[in-house]
Amino acid sequence: MPCPLLKGMHFAHSLGYKSRNSSTCHTISLTTPGSNEQIQQTHSDVLLKMMISILRAWYHPLEHLVHAVATLEGICETMLFKVKEVEEKNQEILEKIKAILVRVYPGAEENVYPVWMGLADVRSANELTRHFTLSNLLHCLDSNTDKVATYLEALKCRIIHNNDC
């Protein structure tokens, strides 16, 4: 039996939901560099702060995503395990990046982070609304994870390889 969330994601994708609603991520308000050139021009402390803001913005959504996936009818354990793992890894990476920021830039203050307002949709009695919301959350998480990974690679290149990448 396929995971219900995956079924909903496929349905949402078939309707073009992902592409139509890609700007509905709760982190859209964060100003982040989009191109490699912009990333290279961004100071390291600013990149670290951006990563912290992105990761902090996912604390509550991931908490609710775990709960939502756990309560789905016919949930496959692999899906639940993966969502829990993502929640834990997000927190772990956040703590490590915060430690780097404090160590490399003593006194640096974190940026604010956007608050997620989608709890009502995740708890909706309407199954389609829940599936669309969860699908969008996963799409946004994927996008934000790619951003953080890109910024980490840029910092690695800059700091460890002296911009020789």
Side-chain angles (χ1 to χ4, degrees):
M1 172 192 241
C3 288
L5 181 57
L6 295 177
K7 182 177 145 194
M9 289 170 57
H10 291 299
F11 177 70
H13 181 69
S14 72
L15 294 177
Y17 181 77
K18 183 177 175 179
S19 60
R20 281 198 327 258
N21 291 299
S22 61
S23 66
T24 61
C25 297
H26 69 287
T27 55
I28 194 76
S29 64
L30 293 174
T31 304
T32 58
S35 69
N36 284 336
E37 183 180 327
Q38 290 173 332
I39 293 169
Q40 293 305 318
Q41 293 172 357
T42 305
H43 292 278
S44 297
D45 63 322
V46 175
L47 280 177
L48 287 166
K49 289 177 186 181
M50 283 179 200
M51 288 187 284
I52 290 169
S53 292
I54 291 169
L55 293 166
R56 283 182 59 92
W58 279 98
Y59 180 81
H60 290 294
L62 284 171
E63 189 176 64
H64 292 291
L65 183 61
V66 168
H67 179 73
V69 169
T71 59
L72 285 173
E73 191 175 313
I75 186 63
C76 54
E77 291 302 314
T78 304
M79 181 72 160
L80 182 57
F81 173 78
K82 289 293 184 187
V83 172
K84 285 180 180 179
E85 185 178 47
V86 168
E87 179 188 31
E88 291 168 7
K89 293 293 182 187
N90 184 74
Q91 191 61 31
E92 185 180 315
I93 293 168
L94 172 61
E95 294 306 318
K96 288 180 179 181
I97 292 175
K98 285 168 66 174
I100 292 169
L101 179 67
V102 169
R103 190 169 188 188
V104 178
Y105 299 99
E109 294 183 22
E110 295 177 29
N111 295 339
V112 296
Y113 63 95
V115 176
W116 177 64
M117 304 299 280
L119 183 56
D121 289 337
V122 167
R123 292 182 174 170
S124 173
N126 183 306
E127 183 180 7
L128 191 56
T129 298
R130 280 194 322 273
H131 282 246
F132 276 152
T133 301
L134 294 174
S135 177
N136 192 59
L137 254 181
L138 292 173
H139 163 72
C140 293
L141 179 61
D142 182 53
S143 174
N144 286 176
T145 301
D146 285 348
K147 274 186 190 180
V148 170
T150 299
Y151 299 162
L152 280 172
E153 279 300 313
L155 287 174
K156 178 181 168 185
C157 179
R158 185 181 297 171
I159 296 166
I160 296 173
H161 301 292
N162 201 24
N163 282 326
D164 189 25
C165 296

